[in-house]
Amino acid sequence: MEQKFGINSIDIDALREFFEREGKEVEYRKGEQLEREGDPARWFGFVTEGCFKYVTHGISDDKKHITWFSFEGEFAGDYPNCLDGHPAQTTIEAMVPTRIHRASGEQLMDFFRQDAEKMELRSIIAEHLLRQRNQCYLDLHRATARERYELLLQRCPGIVEYLDLQDIASFLNVHPNTVSKIRRDITFGGK
C-alpha cells in the first residue's frame, strides 16, 4: 500500500518547489477542512506538518467512511477535481494541527501549462494516484483485515495516535471489534 510521493516513487521536487514558492502556507486546526464533499474542489498542496483524512458518506445510510490519508511529506487535495472545480468527492479534514503549502487548481493548471515537462508531470501525478488507489482497492480484496492493518502501520507507524478505533476500522472496512482483536493478537502474539 505504498502511498508516498517519495524517494522510491516519482520525482516531485518541481511540484513541491512550486507549492513552496507560489502557494500559501495555511495551518489547519484538528477537524478543519481543506475540502468539503460536494463543494467545488479548490485546493491541492504539500503537507509540511501533520496529516489529513479523507471522509465520504454512505449513499443510503450517511455513515462516515475513511478512504485515504495524506501525511507530512505528501500531497493533499482532491486531484484532479481541483484542476477544473468539479465537486470534491470527499471531505479532507485535518486529523491534528496540520500545515500545508497549498495553491488553487487554477494556479496549478497555470504551472502545468508552462512547458511540456510540467504537463508531463501532470500525467505522472495522475498515474501515480491511480496506482495508489488501485493498490488500496486490490488490498481490500486480497489482504486480510490484519494484513491491511499491518500495511497501514508500515506506511504510518504513529497513525494509531491520531485515529480512534472507529476511523481505523472505517479505513480497513471492518467492524471496530475486529480492529480491537487484531491489536490484541499483535500485542499478545496471536495469529
Side-chain angles (χ1 to χ4, degrees), residues 79-132:
Y79 188 93
N81 290 319
C82 70
L83 299 178
D84 54 17
H86 276 87
Q89 297 296 301
T90 60
T91 295
I92 303 172
E93 180 181 308
M95 296 181 346
V96 297
T98 301
R99 194 178 325 253
I100 183 172
H101 286 277
R102 72 174 198 199
S104 70
E106 290 175 11
Q107 288 174 288
L108 193 53
M109 280 304 296
D110 289 343
F111 170 75
F112 290 143
R113 289 184 186 116
Q114 289 177 4
D115 58 47
E117 184 178 302
K118 290 184 180 65
M119 192 54 84
E120 183 181 3
L121 181 58
R122 177 182 180 191
S123 298
I124 291 169
I125 292 166
E127 290 168 6
H128 182 79
L129 292 172
L130 179 61
R131 222 176 275 117
Q132 289 177 330

Side-chain angles (χ1 to χ4, degrees), residues 1 16 18 23 26 28-29 34 38 42 50 52 57-58 77 105-106 116 135 143 154 156 168 173 176:
M1 196 157 57
R16 182 184 45 75
F18 161 78
V26 179
Y28 291 86
R29 292 182 298 217
L34 173 69
R42 297 177 53 201
F52 289 100
H57 294 86
E106 290 175 11
Q135 183 69 47
Q154 286 173 15
C156 185
I168 293 173
N173 202 25

Side-chain angles (χ1 to χ4, degrees), residues 53 63-67 69 160 162-177 179-180 183:
K53 64 182 175 182
K63 184 179 173 186
K64 180 175 87 168
H65 301 275
I66 308 294
T67 61
F69 303 101
V160 293
Y162 302 122
L163 290 177
D164 59 31
L165 191 68
Q166 289 77 17
D167 284 349
I168 293 173
S170 174
F171 181 72
L172 299 176
N173 202 25
V174 297
H175 192 277
N177 290 343
V179 176
S180 291
R183 288 178 172 176

Side-chain angles (χ1 to χ4, degrees), residues 16 74 147:
R16 182 184 45 75
E74 296 181 332
E147 290 166 338

